[in-house]
Amino acid sequence: LTHTLPPLLALVHPQAEARLRELAAMGVAAKLVCVGNKGSQYFRRRPQYEVVKSFSLGGTPTTREAQAIADEIFADFVSAEADKVELVYTKFVSLINSVPTVQTLLPLTPTGELCDLDGNCVDAADDEIFKLTTQVRGVVWKLLAADW
């Protein structure tokens, strides 16, 4: 029996495994939170990875489901259960092309770096960093000013 992954998942799982191996080589113990059934099934069949939580979503995820996932992950970060939160996903390039991407979600730093006292950083080499443009900053400031 051969299990074939849909094209997008076939890109994400190897990227996530490569990142987990990279972190293990640095001596960093990484834990997985899987969103969706296929990712959960994939990593649970591989005992070398620790899946601490899985979220099953329907065909049309709701904002309530997304908020529950965000709350749980943020709580782990705030309570120091996790030092860093990274998201592995497929970044849309075009209708026929997607790129597997690692993006730091927490902590929010200008460079996305998390380093120890000796300067050893655990960032992915091609970490997709949130970038605010001048135009976006202006909109954010207008929204903040409107609330005050």
Side-chain angles (χ1 to χ4, degrees):
L1 178 65
T2 303
H3 180 67
T4 305
L5 295 171
L8 294 179
L9 294 177
L11 297 173
V12 171
H13 294 153
Q15 179 71 30
E17 285 186 290
R19 181 63 178 146
L20 290 166
R21 284 191 302 273
E22 182 182 359
L23 291 169
M26 289 185 243
V28 176
K31 297 177 182 177
L32 285 170
V33 174
C34 294
V35 178
N37 294 329
K38 294 201 187 314
S40 298
Q41 292 169 2
Y42 181 87
F43 285 106
R44 287 197 191 278
R45 287 195 310 263
R46 287 154 178 80
Q48 68 268 35
Y49 304 118
E50 183 181 358
V51 178
V52 295
K53 184 78 176 174
S54 294
F55 293 94
S56 179
L57 302 175
T60 308
T62 65
T63 53
R64 178 173 282 144
E65 290 170 321
Q67 188 63 57
I69 295 167
D71 289 346
E72 181 132 354
I73 291 170
F74 185 70
D76 284 348
F77 180 76
V78 171
S79 68
E81 291 286 321
D83 297 319
K84 185 171 184 172
V85 177
E86 293 179 344
L87 174 67
V88 181
Y89 67 101
T90 53
K91 181 179 178 181
F92 175 82
V93 176
S94 70
L95 291 175
I96 59 170
N97 189 16
S98 294
V99 178
T101 304
V102 177
Q103 182 166 9
T104 298
L105 297 179
L106 295 169
L108 293 175
T109 61
T111 60
E113 290 186 350
L114 181 66
C115 304
D116 64 15
L117 295 175
D118 298 324
N120 300 317
C121 298
V122 295
D123 282 326
D126 54 352
D127 190 2
E128 180 77 13
I129 300 170
F130 284 111
K131 297 177 181 116
L132 292 179
T133 65
T134 305
Q135 183 180 16
V136 172
R137 284 190 193 128
V139 170
V140 170
W141 281 114
K142 287 177 188 174
L143 290 173
L144 289 174
D147 286 341
W148 291 339

